[in-house]
Amino acid sequence: MRFQAYYKKKRAKAKKVELEPKVEVGKVYERCELATELRDKYQMQPEHIPTWVCIAYHESRFNTSAEGRLNADGSGDHGLFQISDIYWCSTGSSPGKTCGVTCDDMRNSDISDDIRCIKTIFDEHQRISGNGFNAWSVYKPYCQGREESFAHNCFDTTKPTTAVRPRPGITAPTPSKTKSSIVSVGKIYDRCELANDLLHKFKLPKDQVATWVCIAYHESSFNTSAEGRLNADGSGDHGLFQISDIYWCSH
């Protein structure tokens, strides 16, 4: 009897697992992959594509499953373009709000509903302010006037598509050139290029390399000349790993 009860319980558990809905996992786009998809699949206006790519980069780092919870009012932002759940998507199981979608739908790998929603948001803010991109807080400080780099080489088949990485939110200092001194200019790594350098050139332990690459990405977007000046005490952070000048390096 105990064996029968055991297998009956096991079959019931297996049936429950089968009935539970599968949660679709998001994806992380490459820069030109997103630009090309916006042009070819979603027929976005060509002149707007670099700006959309810039917004996606600064809002979610091209991650369709990103979820932001840093808003003071407790609201959340969802998906590739960080759609707000105050006005545009519903947090419940039923589609709702202005875009007629759930916020869960904003965080899966299918961005077709995201595209419909950002068009709605864009049109509304175009009517209100004359520029639909103003709906995204990252637009003016990070994208306006510098958006072209985000689609650089993406549609030119005569050139490689990995030459230019978008400018990070942390801005690099502009070195002053004098006759008496030569200033070394920084570089922007590719992810695997940095990993290979750390492993083979600098002999870091293999099990640490992925973590160092992750830190470099989030600190400087792989920019060796990045300089951060956002600290409350006025101190600065420098370089690929954003080293603080309070303790670790001198001006």
Side-chain angles (χ1 to χ4, degrees):
M1 291 296 291
R2 282 187 298 174
F3 285 109
Q4 289 178 344
Y6 169 77
Y7 284 111
K8 185 177 180 180
K9 186 176 180 181
K10 191 172 183 180
R11 284 195 300 270
K13 186 176 181 181
K15 186 176 181 181
K16 182 180 179 182
V17 171
E18 290 175 1
L19 292 174
E20 288 178 350
K22 294 181 179 179
V23 178
E24 187 173 357
V25 179
K27 68 172 288 183
V28 179
Y29 276 90
E30 296 289 343
R31 177 175 63 89
C32 285
E33 178 190 13
L34 177 60
T36 302
E37 194 165 305
L38 293 178
R39 182 190 67 172
D40 298 339
K41 184 175 181 180
Y42 297 108
Q43 307 296 309
M44 303 291 278
Q45 295 182 46
E47 64 272 19
H48 286 174
I49 288 175
T51 305
W52 287 123
V53 175
C54 177
I55 288 172
Y57 173 75
H58 286 289
E59 287 287 4
S60 68
R61 290 299 192 269
F62 302 139
N63 186 349
T64 68
S65 62
E67 183 175 7
R69 288 289 176 185
L70 298 178
N71 301 326
D73 57 8
S75 63
D77 302 312
H78 307 268
L80 186 64
F81 298 100
Q82 290 293 275
I83 306 301
S84 171
D85 57 29
I86 297 179
Y87 307 109
W88 309 107
C89 67
S90 66
T91 55
S93 58
S94 300
K97 300 288 178 75
T98 306
C99 287
V101 294
T102 68
C103 297
D104 286 344
D105 289 335
M106 298 288 96
R107 299 195 304 271
N108 58 27
S109 60
D110 178 7
I111 65 169
S112 58
D113 40 19
D114 303 62
I115 299 300
R116 288 193 297 271
C117 190
I118 64 171
K119 287 180 177 180
T120 299
I121 297 170
F122 180 90
D123 290 344
E124 177 66 12
H125 283 265
Q126 185 74 18
R127 181 183 64 81
I128 294 171
S129 69
N131 187 338
F133 292 120
N134 287 334
W136 284 268
S137 61
V138 300
Y139 170 64
K140 286 186 176 180
Y142 300 121
C143 299
Q144 191 173 32
R146 63 174 72 174
E147 56 269 85
E148 290 306 318
S149 66
F150 285 83
H152 183 77
N153 282 351
C154 290
F155 308 130
D156 188 348
T157 57
T158 64
K159 297 178 181 179
T161 59
T162 57
V164 174
R165 182 176 293 276
R167 290 177 64 182
I170 301 172
T171 57
T174 303
S176 57
K177 296 181 180 180
T178 63
K179 292 182 179 179
S180 60
S181 64
I182 299 176
V183 179
S184 177
V185 179
K187 68 173 288 184
I188 298 178
Y189 274 93
D190 282 319
R191 177 173 57 88
C192 289
E193 178 190 12
L194 176 60
N196 281 316
D197 263 9
L198 295 178
L199 180 64
H200 300 299
K201 184 177 180 180
F202 300 108
K203 308 299 183 185
L204 288 182
K206 187 176 181 179
D207 59 348
Q208 293 182 10
V209 168
T211 303
W212 287 119
V213 172
C214 179
I215 290 171
Y217 173 72
H218 288 288
E219 288 287 358
S220 69
S221 293
F222 301 138
N223 187 348
T224 66
S225 61
E227 182 176 7
R229 289 288 177 184
L230 299 178
N231 301 327
D233 58 6
S235 64
D237 303 312
H238 307 268
L240 186 65
F241 297 101
Q242 290 293 277
I243 307 301
S244 171
D245 57 26
I246 297 179
Y247 306 108
W248 309 110
C249 65
S250 62
H251 291 289

